[in-house]
PDB file of all heavy atoms in Angstrom:
ATOM      1  N   VAL H 321      30.022  13.291 -10.470  1.00 96.00           N
ATOM      2  CA  VAL H 321      30.475  14.382 -11.354  1.00 96.00           C
ATOM      3  C   VAL H 321      31.988  14.311 -11.576  1.00 96.00           C
ATOM      4  O   VAL H 321      32.737  13.796 -10.741  1.00 96.00           O
ATOM      5  CB  VAL H 321      30.088  15.782 -10.809  1.00 96.00           C
ATOM      6  CG1 VAL H 321      28.588  15.988 -10.880  1.00 96.00           C
ATOM      7  CG2 VAL H 321      30.614  16.021  -9.415  1.00 96.00           C
ATOM      8  N   THR H 322      32.394  14.855 -12.706  1.00 93.00           N
ATOM      9  CA  THR H 322      33.778  14.783 -13.179  1.00 93.00           C
ATOM     10  C   THR H 322      34.805  15.062 -12.082  1.00 93.00           C
ATOM     11  O   THR H 322      35.784  14.333 -11.935  1.00 93.00           O
ATOM     12  CB  THR H 322      33.981  15.848 -14.288  1.00 93.00           C
ATOM     13  OG1 THR H 322      32.776  15.924 -15.059  1.00 93.00           O
ATOM     14  CG2 THR H 322      35.142  15.512 -15.170  1.00 93.00           C
ATOM     15  N   THR H 323      34.552  16.140 -11.336  1.00 93.00           N
ATOM     16  CA  THR H 323      35.557  16.603 -10.383  1.00 93.00           C
ATOM     17  C   THR H 323      35.827  15.590  -9.277  1.00 93.00           C
ATOM     18  O   THR H 323      36.903  15.590  -8.682  1.00 93.00           O
ATOM     19  CB  THR H 323      35.105  17.954  -9.791  1.00 93.00           C
ATOM     20  OG1 THR H 323      34.804  18.823 -10.889  1.00 93.00           O
ATOM     21  CG2 THR H 323      36.172  18.599  -8.945  1.00 93.00           C
ATOM     22  N   THR H 324      34.884  14.702  -9.015  1.00 93.00           N
ATOM     23  CA  THR H 324      35.073  13.751  -7.913  1.00 93.00           C
ATOM     24  C   THR H 324      36.015  12.612  -8.296  1.00 93.00           C
ATOM     25  O   THR H 324      36.307  11.761  -7.468  1.00 93.00           O
ATOM     26  CB  THR H 324      33.732  13.133  -7.457  1.00 93.00           C
ATOM     27  OG1 THR H 324      33.222  12.386  -8.554  1.00 93.00           O
ATOM     28  CG2 THR H 324      32.748  14.189  -7.052  1.00 93.00           C
ATOM     29  N   VAL H 349      30.719  11.641 -15.094  1.00 94.00           N
ATOM     30  CA  VAL H 349      30.206  12.549 -16.128  1.00 94.00           C
ATOM     31  C   VAL H 349      29.958  13.922 -15.493  1.00 94.00           C
ATOM     32  O   VAL H 349      30.058  14.051 -14.279  1.00 94.00           O
ATOM     33  CB  VAL H 349      28.878  12.003 -16.733  1.00 94.00           C
ATOM     34  CG1 VAL H 349      29.143  10.839 -17.663  1.00 94.00           C
ATOM     35  CG2 VAL H 349      27.909  11.586 -15.647  1.00 94.00           C
ATOM     36  N   ASN H 350      29.629  14.932 -16.294  1.00 94.00           N
ATOM     37  CA  ASN H 350      29.414  16.232 -15.654  1.00 94.00           C
ATOM     38  C   ASN H 350      28.032  16.320 -15.001  1.00 94.00           C
ATOM     39  O   ASN H 350      27.230  15.394 -15.098  1.00 94.00           O
ATOM     40  CB  ASN H 350      29.730  17.399 -16.591  1.00 94.00           C
ATOM     41  CG  ASN H 350      28.645  17.662 -17.617  1.00 94.00           C
ATOM     42  OD1 ASN H 350      27.521  17.157 -17.514  1.00 94.00           O
ATOM     43  ND2 ASN H 350      28.975  18.451 -18.614  1.00 94.00           N
ATOM     44  N   ARG H 351      27.796  17.432 -14.320  1.00 95.00           N
ATOM     45  CA  ARG H 351      26.591  17.535 -13.488  1.00 95.00           C
ATOM     46  C   ARG H 351      25.312  17.309 -14.287  1.00 95.00           C
ATOM     47  O   ARG H 351      24.414  16.594 -13.845  1.00 95.00           O
ATOM     48  CB  ARG H 351      26.555  18.908 -12.806  1.00 95.00           C
ATOM     49  CG  ARG H 351      25.321  19.127 -11.953  1.00 95.00           C
ATOM     50  CD  ARG H 351      25.337  20.461 -11.259  1.00 95.00           C
ATOM     51  NE  ARG H 351      24.157  20.648 -10.442  1.00 95.00           N
ATOM     52  CZ  ARG H 351      23.039  21.190 -10.874  1.00 95.00           C
ATOM     53  NH1 ARG H 351      22.931  21.613 -12.122  1.00 95.00           N
ATOM     54  NH2 ARG H 351      22.002  21.325 -10.049  1.00 95.00           N
ATOM     55  N   MET H 368      27.435  14.697  -6.244  1.00 96.00           N
ATOM     56  CA  MET H 368      27.592  15.987  -6.926  1.00 96.00           C
ATOM     57  C   MET H 368      27.798  17.105  -5.900  1.00 96.00           C
ATOM     58  O   MET H 368      27.585  16.922  -4.697  1.00 96.00           O
ATOM     59  CB  MET H 368      26.372  16.271  -7.798  1.00 96.00           C
ATOM     60  CG  MET H 368      25.078  16.436  -7.058  1.00 96.00           C
ATOM     61  SD  MET H 368      23.681  16.435  -8.201  1.00 96.00           S
ATOM     62  CE  MET H 368      23.287  14.697  -8.253  1.00 96.00           C
ATOM     63  N   GLY H 369      28.206  18.264  -6.433  1.00 95.00           N
ATOM     64  CA  GLY H 369      28.452  19.407  -5.560  1.00 95.00           C
ATOM     65  C   GLY H 369      27.251  20.337  -5.471  1.00 95.00           C
ATOM     66  O   GLY H 369      27.123  21.088  -4.505  1.00 95.00           O
ATOM     67  N   VAL H 370      26.391  20.297  -6.494  1.00 94.00           N
ATOM     68  CA  VAL H 370      25.221  21.187  -6.512  1.00 94.00           C
ATOM     69  C   VAL H 370      23.972  20.335  -6.753  1.00 94.00           C
ATOM     70  O   VAL H 370      23.562  20.120  -7.895  1.00 94.00           O
ATOM     71  CB  VAL H 370      25.336  22.250  -7.643  1.00 94.00           C
ATOM     72  CG1 VAL H 370      24.281  23.333  -7.477  1.00 94.00           C
ATOM     73  CG2 VAL H 370      26.730  22.860  -7.699  1.00 94.00           C
ATOM     74  N   ASN H 385      33.988  20.625  -0.240  1.00 91.00           N
ATOM     75  CA  ASN H 385      34.247  20.885  -1.661  1.00 91.00           C
ATOM     76  C   ASN H 385      34.511  22.385  -1.770  1.00 91.00           C
ATOM     77  O   ASN H 385      33.596  23.190  -1.744  1.00 91.00           O
ATOM     78  CB  ASN H 385      33.026  20.470  -2.481  1.00 91.00           C
ATOM     79  CG  ASN H 385      33.164  20.824  -3.939  1.00 91.00           C
ATOM     80  OD1 ASN H 385      34.269  21.081  -4.422  1.00 91.00           O
ATOM     81  ND2 ASN H 385      32.042  20.837  -4.645  1.00 91.00           N
ATOM     82  N   ARG H 416      35.195  25.583 -17.020  1.00 96.00           N
ATOM     83  CA  ARG H 416      34.595  24.293 -17.371  1.00 96.00           C
ATOM     84  C   ARG H 416      33.430  24.531 -18.323  1.00 96.00           C
ATOM     85  O   ARG H 416      32.888  25.630 -18.412  1.00 96.00           O
ATOM     86  CB  ARG H 416      34.111  23.579 -16.103  1.00 96.00           C
ATOM     87  CG  ARG H 416      35.211  22.929 -15.287  1.00 96.00           C
ATOM     88  CD  ARG H 416      35.685  21.630 -15.950  1.00 96.00           C
ATOM     89  NE  ARG H 416      34.577  20.712 -16.153  1.00 96.00           N
ATOM     90  CZ  ARG H 416      34.090  19.915 -15.202  1.00 96.00           C
ATOM     91  NH1 ARG H 416      34.648  19.892 -14.011  1.00 96.00           N
ATOM     92  NH2 ARG H 416      33.058  19.130 -15.447  1.00 96.00           N
ATOM     93  N   GLU H 417      33.020  23.488 -19.008  1.00 95.00           N
ATOM     94  CA  GLU H 417      31.920  23.563 -19.975  1.00 95.00           C
ATOM     95  C   GLU H 417      30.591  23.850 -19.275  1.00 95.00           C
ATOM     96  O   GLU H 417      30.444  23.563 -18.089  1.00 95.00           O
ATOM     97  CB  GLU H 417      31.845  22.239 -20.753  1.00 95.00           C
ATOM     98  CG  GLU H 417      31.183  21.074 -20.005  1.00 95.00           C
ATOM     99  CD  GLU H 417      32.045  20.462 -18.892  1.00 95.00           C
ATOM    100  OE1 GLU H 417      33.149  20.964 -18.620  1.00 95.00           O
ATOM    101  OE2 GLU H 417      31.570  19.481 -18.276  1.00 95.00           O
ATOM    102  N   GLY H 419      26.961  23.073 -18.053  1.00 93.00           N
ATOM    103  CA  GLY H 419      26.476  21.757 -17.632  1.00 93.00           C
ATOM    104  C   GLY H 419      27.338  21.195 -16.507  1.00 93.00           C
ATOM    105  O   GLY H 419      26.970  20.217 -15.881  1.00 93.00           O
ATOM    106  N   SER H 420      28.479  21.853 -16.266  1.00 95.00           N
ATOM    107  CA  SER H 420      29.327  21.412 -15.147  1.00 95.00           C
ATOM    108  C   SER H 420      28.892  22.156 -13.880  1.00 95.00           C
ATOM    109  O   SER H 420      28.485  23.318 -13.928  1.00 95.00           O
ATOM    110  CB  SER H 420      30.799  21.687 -15.482  1.00 95.00           C
ATOM    111  OG  SER H 420      31.395  22.536 -14.533  1.00 95.00           O
ATOM    112  N   GLY H 421      28.978  21.467 -12.745  1.00 94.00           N
ATOM    113  CA  GLY H 421      28.583  22.068 -11.475  1.00 94.00           C
ATOM    114  C   GLY H 421      29.527  23.195 -11.081  1.00 94.00           C
ATOM    115  O   GLY H 421      29.107  24.195 -10.484  1.00 94.00           O
ATOM    116  N   THR H 422      30.804  23.027 -11.415  1.00 95.00           N
ATOM    117  CA  THR H 422      31.787  24.069 -11.106  1.00 95.00           C
ATOM    118  C   THR H 422      31.411  25.341 -11.856  1.00 95.00           C
ATOM    119  O   THR H 422      31.358  26.435 -11.280  1.00 95.00           O
ATOM    120  CB  THR H 422      33.198  23.609 -11.562  1.00 95.00           C
ATOM    121  OG1 THR H 422      33.425  22.287 -11.082  1.00 95.00           O
ATOM    122  CG2 THR H 422      34.276  24.534 -11.068  1.00 95.00           C
ATOM    123  N   ARG H 423      31.113  25.192 -13.144  1.00 95.00           N
ATOM    124  CA  ARG H 423      30.754  26.339 -13.972  1.00 95.00           C
ATOM    125  C   ARG H 423      29.511  27.040 -13.416  1.00 95.00           C
ATOM    126  O   ARG H 423      29.455  28.261 -13.316  1.00 95.00           O
ATOM    127  CB  ARG H 423      30.516  25.834 -15.411  1.00 95.00           C
ATOM    128  CG  ARG H 423      29.976  26.871 -16.381  1.00 95.00           C
ATOM    129  CD  ARG H 423      31.064  27.837 -16.821  1.00 95.00           C
ATOM    130  NE  ARG H 423      30.584  28.768 -17.816  1.00 95.00           N
ATOM    131  CZ  ARG H 423      30.866  28.691 -19.114  1.00 95.00           C
ATOM    132  NH1 ARG H 423      31.638  27.726 -19.576  1.00 95.00           N
ATOM    133  NH2 ARG H 423      30.408  29.600 -19.949  1.00 95.00           N
ATOM    134  N   THR H 425      28.361  27.127 -10.375  1.00 94.00           N
ATOM    135  CA  THR H 425      28.651  27.846  -9.134  1.00 94.00           C
ATOM    136  C   THR H 425      29.412  29.137  -9.426  1.00 94.00           C
ATOM    137  O   THR H 425      29.091  30.198  -8.876  1.00 94.00           O
ATOM    138  CB  THR H 425      29.489  26.963  -8.181  1.00 94.00           C
ATOM    139  OG1 THR H 425      28.855  25.694  -8.091  1.00 94.00           O
ATOM    140  CG2 THR H 425      29.615  27.571  -6.817  1.00 94.00           C
ATOM    141  N   ASN H 446      39.129  19.153 -15.851  1.00 95.00           N
ATOM    142  CA  ASN H 446      39.834  19.947 -14.836  1.00 95.00           C
ATOM    143  C   ASN H 446      41.336  19.908 -15.070  1.00 95.00           C
ATOM    144  O   ASN H 446      42.032  20.906 -14.862  1.00 95.00           O
ATOM    145  CB  ASN H 446      39.529  19.394 -13.439  1.00 95.00           C
ATOM    146  CG  ASN H 446      38.069  19.542 -13.070  1.00 95.00           C
ATOM    147  OD1 ASN H 446      37.491  20.612 -13.245  1.00 95.00           O
ATOM    148  ND2 ASN H 446      37.466  18.476 -12.585  1.00 95.00           N
ATOM    149  N   ARG H 488      31.973  24.644   0.046  1.00 91.00           N
ATOM    150  CA  ARG H 488      30.749  23.897  -0.255  1.00 91.00           C
ATOM    151  C   ARG H 488      30.968  22.443   0.186  1.00 91.00           C
ATOM    152  O   ARG H 488      31.930  22.149   0.871  1.00 91.00           O
ATOM    153  CB  ARG H 488      30.463  23.946  -1.759  1.00 91.00           C
ATOM    154  CG  ARG H 488      30.421  25.360  -2.310  1.00 91.00           C
ATOM    155  CD  ARG H 488      30.028  25.339  -3.773  1.00 91.00           C
ATOM    156  NE  ARG H 488      30.940  24.532  -4.554  1.00 91.00           N
ATOM    157  CZ  ARG H 488      30.581  23.807  -5.609  1.00 91.00           C
ATOM    158  NH1 ARG H 488      29.332  23.754  -5.984  1.00 91.00           N
ATOM    159  NH2 ARG H 488      31.470  23.106  -6.280  1.00 91.00           N
ATOM    160  N   TRP H 490      30.502  18.098  -1.002  1.00 93.00           N
ATOM    161  CA  TRP H 490      30.094  17.047  -1.926  1.00 93.00           C
ATOM    162  C   TRP H 490      28.941  16.320  -1.265  1.00 93.00           C
ATOM    163  O   TRP H 490      28.982  16.045  -0.065  1.00 93.00           O
ATOM    164  CB  TRP H 490      31.248  16.056  -2.179  1.00 93.00           C
ATOM    165  CG  TRP H 490      32.371  16.674  -2.926  1.00 93.00           C
ATOM    166  CD1 TRP H 490      33.633  16.915  -2.473  1.00 93.00           C
ATOM    167  CD2 TRP H 490      32.340  17.139  -4.280  1.00 93.00           C
ATOM    168  NE1 TRP H 490      34.380  17.496  -3.452  1.00 93.00           N
ATOM    169  CE2 TRP H 490      33.614  17.644  -4.573  1.00 93.00           C
ATOM    170  CE3 TRP H 490      31.360  17.170  -5.279  1.00 93.00           C
ATOM    171  CZ2 TRP H 490      33.944  18.181  -5.804  1.00 93.00           C
ATOM    172  CZ3 TRP H 490      31.681  17.708  -6.505  1.00 93.00           C
ATOM    173  CH2 TRP H 490      32.956  18.199  -6.762  1.00 93.00           C
TER     174      TRP H 490
HETATM  175  P1  PGA D 714      31.419  19.180 -12.199  1.00 97.89           P
HETATM  176  O1  PGA D 714      30.728  19.210 -10.793  1.00 97.89           O
HETATM  177  O2  PGA D 714      32.536  18.185 -12.151  1.00 97.89           O
HETATM  178  O3  PGA D 714      30.295  18.839 -13.154  1.00 97.89           O
HETATM  179  O4  PGA D 714      31.941  20.578 -12.437  1.00 97.89           O
HETATM  180  C1  PGA D 714      31.414  19.724  -9.722  1.00 97.89           C
HETATM  181  C2  PGA D 714      30.466  20.289  -8.694  1.00 97.89           C
HETATM  182  O5  PGA D 714      29.256  20.002  -8.747  1.00 97.89           O
HETATM  183  O6  PGA D 714      30.973  21.011  -7.824  1.00 97.89           O
END
Side-chain angles (χ1 to χ4, degrees):
V321 291
T322 324
T323 308
T324 64
V349 285
N350 77 14
R351 178 178 180 270
M368 64 191 90
V370 192
N385 175 18
R416 283 284 304 279
E417 78 286 4
S420 121
T422 311
R423 173 76 176 256
T425 311
N446 295 313
R488 306 184 302 146
W490 292 114

